[in-house]
Short mmCIF file of all heavy atoms in Angstrom, two decimals:
data_model
loop_
_atom_site.label_atom_id
_atom_site.label_comp_id
_atom_site.label_asym_id
_atom_site.label_seq_id
_atom_site.Cartn_x
_atom_site.Cartn_y
_atom_site.Cartn_z
N GLN B 1029 -76.91 -27.58 47.99
CA GLN B 1029 -77.26 -28.96 47.63
C GLN B 1029 -77.28 -29.19 46.13
O GLN B 1029 -77.60 -28.31 45.34
CB GLN B 1029 -78.64 -29.33 48.19
CG GLN B 1029 -78.67 -29.50 49.69
CD GLN B 1029 -79.34 -28.32 50.35
OE1 GLN B 1029 -80.05 -27.58 49.69
NE2 GLN B 1029 -79.10 -28.14 51.63
N ILE B 1030 -76.94 -30.42 45.76
CA ILE B 1030 -76.98 -30.85 44.36
C ILE B 1030 -78.34 -30.50 43.76
O ILE B 1030 -78.44 -29.94 42.66
CB ILE B 1030 -76.78 -32.37 44.26
CG1 ILE B 1030 -75.40 -32.76 44.78
CG2 ILE B 1030 -76.94 -32.83 42.82
CD1 ILE B 1030 -75.20 -34.26 44.86
N GLU B 1045 -74.54 -35.05 39.96
CA GLU B 1045 -73.95 -35.63 41.17
C GLU B 1045 -72.56 -36.19 40.87
O GLU B 1045 -71.59 -35.94 41.60
CB GLU B 1045 -74.88 -36.74 41.68
CG GLU B 1045 -74.55 -37.20 43.09
CD GLU B 1045 -75.57 -38.21 43.61
OE1 GLU B 1045 -76.77 -38.13 43.24
OE2 GLU B 1045 -75.16 -39.09 44.39
N LEU B 1049 -68.83 -34.78 42.09
CA LEU B 1049 -67.95 -35.71 42.78
C LEU B 1049 -66.53 -35.63 42.21
O LEU B 1049 -65.55 -35.56 42.95
CB LEU B 1049 -68.50 -37.13 42.62
CG LEU B 1049 -68.10 -38.14 43.70
CD1 LEU B 1049 -68.54 -37.66 45.07
CD2 LEU B 1049 -68.70 -39.49 43.39
N ARG B 1052 -64.86 -32.47 43.21
CA ARG B 1052 -64.40 -32.53 44.60
C ARG B 1052 -63.12 -33.34 44.73
O ARG B 1052 -62.14 -32.94 45.36
CB ARG B 1052 -65.48 -33.14 45.48
CG ARG B 1052 -65.21 -32.96 46.97
CD ARG B 1052 -65.87 -34.04 47.78
NE ARG B 1052 -65.55 -35.35 47.21
CZ ARG B 1052 -65.17 -36.40 47.92
NH1 ARG B 1052 -65.08 -36.31 49.23
NH2 ARG B 1052 -64.90 -37.55 47.35
N SER B 1059 -67.11 -30.51 50.20
CA SER B 1059 -68.48 -30.96 50.41
C SER B 1059 -68.75 -31.16 51.89
O SER B 1059 -67.83 -31.31 52.70
CB SER B 1059 -68.72 -32.27 49.67
OG SER B 1059 -67.95 -33.30 50.24
N LYS B 1061 -71.44 -33.45 54.30
CA LYS B 1061 -72.47 -34.49 54.27
C LYS B 1061 -73.60 -34.17 55.23
O LYS B 1061 -73.50 -33.28 56.06
CB LYS B 1061 -71.86 -35.83 54.69
CG LYS B 1061 -71.03 -36.51 53.62
CD LYS B 1061 -70.60 -37.87 54.14
CE LYS B 1061 -69.86 -38.69 53.13
NZ LYS B 1061 -69.52 -40.02 53.69
N GLY B 1066 -73.86 -30.15 51.38
CA GLY B 1066 -73.85 -29.69 50.00
C GLY B 1066 -72.43 -29.46 49.52
O GLY B 1066 -71.46 -29.90 50.15
N TYR B 1067 -72.32 -28.75 48.41
CA TYR B 1067 -71.01 -28.45 47.82
C TYR B 1067 -70.70 -26.96 47.89
O TYR B 1067 -71.60 -26.13 47.85
CB TYR B 1067 -70.97 -28.90 46.37
CG TYR B 1067 -70.82 -30.40 46.20
CD1 TYR B 1067 -71.93 -31.20 46.01
CD2 TYR B 1067 -69.57 -30.99 46.24
CE1 TYR B 1067 -71.80 -32.57 45.84
CE2 TYR B 1067 -69.42 -32.36 46.07
CZ TYR B 1067 -70.53 -33.15 45.87
OH TYR B 1067 -70.39 -34.50 45.72
P DA D 1418 -85.85 -44.52 64.54
OP1 DA D 1418 -86.80 -44.81 65.64
OP2 DA D 1418 -85.33 -45.61 63.70
"O5'" DA D 1418 -86.50 -43.40 63.60
"C5'" DA D 1418 -86.91 -42.17 64.21
"C4'" DA D 1418 -86.65 -41.01 63.27
"O4'" DA D 1418 -85.29 -40.53 63.42
"C3'" DA D 1418 -86.85 -41.34 61.79
"O3'" DA D 1418 -87.53 -40.24 61.22
"C2'" DA D 1418 -85.42 -41.46 61.24
"C1'" DA D 1418 -84.67 -40.47 62.14
N9 DA D 1418 -83.27 -40.77 62.35
C8 DA D 1418 -82.70 -42.00 62.57
N7 DA D 1418 -81.40 -41.95 62.74
C5 DA D 1418 -81.09 -40.61 62.65
C6 DA D 1418 -79.88 -39.90 62.76
N6 DA D 1418 -78.72 -40.48 63.00
N1 DA D 1418 -79.93 -38.56 62.61
C2 DA D 1418 -81.12 -37.97 62.37
N3 DA D 1418 -82.31 -38.54 62.26
C4 DA D 1418 -82.23 -39.87 62.40
P DT D 1419 -88.10 -40.30 59.72
OP1 DT D 1419 -89.53 -39.92 59.78
OP2 DT D 1419 -87.67 -41.58 59.12
"O5'" DT D 1419 -87.29 -39.12 59.02
"C5'" DT D 1419 -87.06 -37.90 59.75
"C4'" DT D 1419 -85.94 -37.14 59.09
"O4'" DT D 1419 -84.65 -37.67 59.50
"C3'" DT D 1419 -85.96 -37.18 57.56
"O3'" DT D 1419 -85.81 -35.87 57.07
"C2'" DT D 1419 -84.74 -38.05 57.21
"C1'" DT D 1419 -83.81 -37.71 58.37
N1 DT D 1419 -82.73 -38.68 58.65
C2 DT D 1419 -81.47 -38.21 58.94
O2 DT D 1419 -81.20 -37.02 58.96
N3 DT D 1419 -80.53 -39.18 59.18
C4 DT D 1419 -80.73 -40.55 59.19
O4 DT D 1419 -79.82 -41.31 59.44
C5 DT D 1419 -82.08 -40.97 58.87
C7 DT D 1419 -82.40 -42.43 58.85
C6 DT D 1419 -83.00 -40.03 58.62
P DT D 1420 -86.21 -35.44 55.59
OP1 DT D 1420 -87.31 -34.48 55.66
OP2 DT D 1420 -86.33 -36.68 54.79
"O5'" DT D 1420 -84.90 -34.68 55.12
"C5'" DT D 1420 -84.15 -33.89 56.05
"C4'" DT D 1420 -82.70 -33.87 55.63
"O4'" DT D 1420 -82.03 -35.08 56.07
"C3'" DT D 1420 -82.48 -33.79 54.12
"O3'" DT D 1420 -81.68 -32.65 53.86
"C2'" DT D 1420 -81.77 -35.09 53.77
"C1'" DT D 1420 -81.11 -35.46 55.09
N1 DT D 1420 -80.82 -36.92 55.30
C2 DT D 1420 -79.58 -37.28 55.79
O2 DT D 1420 -78.72 -36.47 56.06
N3 DT D 1420 -79.40 -38.62 55.95
C4 DT D 1420 -80.31 -39.62 55.69
O4 DT D 1420 -80.03 -40.80 55.90
C5 DT D 1420 -81.60 -39.19 55.19
C7 DT D 1420 -82.65 -40.19 54.86
C6 DT D 1420 -81.78 -37.87 55.01
P DG D 1421 -81.66 -31.94 52.44
OP1 DG D 1421 -81.51 -30.48 52.62
OP2 DG D 1421 -82.78 -32.50 51.68
"O5'" DG D 1421 -80.31 -32.50 51.84
"C5'" DG D 1421 -79.07 -32.18 52.48
"C4'" DG D 1421 -78.01 -33.15 52.05
"O4'" DG D 1421 -78.29 -34.46 52.59
"C3'" DG D 1421 -77.89 -33.35 50.53
"O3'" DG D 1421 -76.57 -33.09 50.13
"C2'" DG D 1421 -78.26 -34.80 50.32
"C1'" DG D 1421 -77.83 -35.40 51.66
N9 DG D 1421 -78.41 -36.71 51.92
C8 DG D 1421 -79.70 -37.11 51.68
N7 DG D 1421 -79.92 -38.37 52.00
C5 DG D 1421 -78.70 -38.82 52.47
C6 DG D 1421 -78.31 -40.09 52.95
O6 DG D 1421 -79.00 -41.11 53.06
N1 DG D 1421 -76.97 -40.12 53.32
C2 DG D 1421 -76.10 -39.04 53.25
N2 DG D 1421 -74.86 -39.26 53.64
N3 DG D 1421 -76.45 -37.85 52.80
C4 DG D 1421 -77.76 -37.80 52.43
P DC D 1422 -76.10 -33.06 48.59
OP1 DC D 1422 -75.84 -31.64 48.27
OP2 DC D 1422 -77.04 -33.83 47.77
"O5'" DC D 1422 -74.71 -33.82 48.65
"C5'" DC D 1422 -73.72 -33.35 49.53
"C4'" DC D 1422 -72.89 -34.52 50.05
"O4'" DC D 1422 -73.77 -35.58 50.48
"C3'" DC D 1422 -71.96 -35.15 49.01
"O3'" DC D 1422 -70.72 -35.47 49.66
"C2'" DC D 1422 -72.69 -36.40 48.57
"C1'" DC D 1422 -73.38 -36.80 49.87
N1 DC D 1422 -74.58 -37.64 49.66
C2 DC D 1422 -74.57 -38.97 50.09
O2 DC D 1422 -73.56 -39.43 50.65
N3 DC D 1422 -75.67 -39.74 49.90
C4 DC D 1422 -76.75 -39.22 49.30
N4 DC D 1422 -77.81 -40.01 49.14
C5 DC D 1422 -76.77 -37.87 48.86
C6 DC D 1422 -75.67 -37.13 49.05
P DC D 1423 -69.52 -36.15 48.81
OP1 DC D 1423 -68.27 -35.87 49.54
OP2 DC D 1423 -69.67 -35.78 47.40
"O5'" DC D 1423 -69.85 -37.70 48.97
"C5'" DC D 1423 -69.34 -38.41 50.11
"C4'" DC D 1423 -69.31 -39.91 49.80
"O4'" DC D 1423 -70.64 -40.38 49.53
"C3'" DC D 1423 -68.46 -40.30 48.59
"O3'" DC D 1423 -67.55 -41.31 49.01
"C2'" DC D 1423 -69.46 -40.81 47.56
"C1'" DC D 1423 -70.63 -41.26 48.43
N1 DC D 1423 -71.99 -41.15 47.82
C2 DC D 1423 -72.81 -42.28 47.75
O2 DC D 1423 -72.38 -43.36 48.16
N3 DC D 1423 -74.05 -42.16 47.22
C4 DC D 1423 -74.49 -40.97 46.79
N4 DC D 1423 -75.73 -40.89 46.29
C5 DC D 1423 -73.68 -39.80 46.86
C6 DC D 1423 -72.43 -39.94 47.38
P DC D 1424 -66.29 -41.67 48.08
OP1 DC D 1424 -65.26 -42.24 48.96
OP2 DC D 1424 -66.00 -40.53 47.20
"O5'" DC D 1424 -66.88 -42.86 47.19
"C5'" DC D 1424 -67.34 -44.05 47.84
"C4'" DC D 1424 -68.07 -44.93 46.85
"O4'" DC D 1424 -69.37 -44.37 46.58
"C3'" DC D 1424 -67.41 -45.05 45.47
"O3'" DC D 1424 -66.79 -46.32 45.41
"C2'" DC D 1424 -68.55 -44.88 44.47
"C1'" DC D 1424 -69.79 -44.93 45.35
N1 DC D 1424 -70.94 -44.11 44.87
C2 DC D 1424 -72.18 -44.75 44.66
O2 DC D 1424 -72.27 -45.96 44.87
N3 DC D 1424 -73.23 -44.00 44.22
C4 DC D 1424 -73.08 -42.69 44.01
N4 DC D 1424 -74.15 -42.00 43.60
C5 DC D 1424 -71.85 -42.02 44.23
C6 DC D 1424 -70.81 -42.76 44.66
P DT D 1425 -65.89 -46.75 44.12
OP1 DT D 1425 -64.63 -47.32 44.62
OP2 DT D 1425 -65.87 -45.65 43.14
"O5'" DT D 1425 -66.78 -47.93 43.52
"C5'" DT D 1425 -67.65 -48.68 44.37
"C4'" DT D 1425 -68.69 -49.39 43.54
"O4'" DT D 1425 -69.85 -48.54 43.37
"C3'" DT D 1425 -68.23 -49.76 42.14
"O3'" DT D 1425 -68.63 -51.09 41.85
"C2'" DT D 1425 -68.94 -48.78 41.24
"C1'" DT D 1425 -70.23 -48.55 42.02
N1 DT D 1425 -70.89 -47.26 41.72
C2 DT D 1425 -72.27 -47.24 41.59
O2 DT D 1425 -72.97 -48.23 41.71
N3 DT D 1425 -72.81 -46.00 41.31
C4 DT D 1425 -72.11 -44.80 41.16
O4 DT D 1425 -72.70 -43.77 40.92
C5 DT D 1425 -70.68 -44.90 41.31
C7 DT D 1425 -69.84 -43.67 41.15
C6 DT D 1425 -70.15 -46.11 41.57
P DA D 1426 -68.15 -51.85 40.53
OP1 DA D 1426 -67.11 -52.83 40.92
OP2 DA D 1426 -67.85 -50.86 39.46
"O5'" DA D 1426 -69.48 -52.64 40.12
"C5'" DA D 1426 -70.68 -52.47 40.86
"C4'" DA D 1426 -71.85 -52.29 39.91
"O4'" DA D 1426 -72.19 -50.89 39.81
"C3'" DA D 1426 -71.60 -52.77 38.48
"O3'" DA D 1426 -72.62 -53.68 38.13
"C2'" DA D 1426 -71.64 -51.49 37.63
"C1'" DA D 1426 -72.53 -50.60 38.47
N9 DA D 1426 -72.34 -49.15 38.28
C8 DA D 1426 -71.16 -48.45 38.33
N7 DA D 1426 -71.30 -47.16 38.12
C5 DA D 1426 -72.66 -47.02 37.91
C6 DA D 1426 -73.45 -45.88 37.63
N6 DA D 1426 -72.96 -44.65 37.51
N1 DA D 1426 -74.79 -46.08 37.48
C2 DA D 1426 -75.28 -47.32 37.59
N3 DA D 1426 -74.64 -48.46 37.86
C4 DA D 1426 -73.32 -48.23 38.00
#
Side-chain angles (χ1 to χ4, degrees):
Chain B
Q1029 289 105 19
I1030 297 173
E1045 193 175 328
L1049 205 59
R1052 192 206 50 134
S1059 67
K1061 283 185 175 182
Y1067 284 96

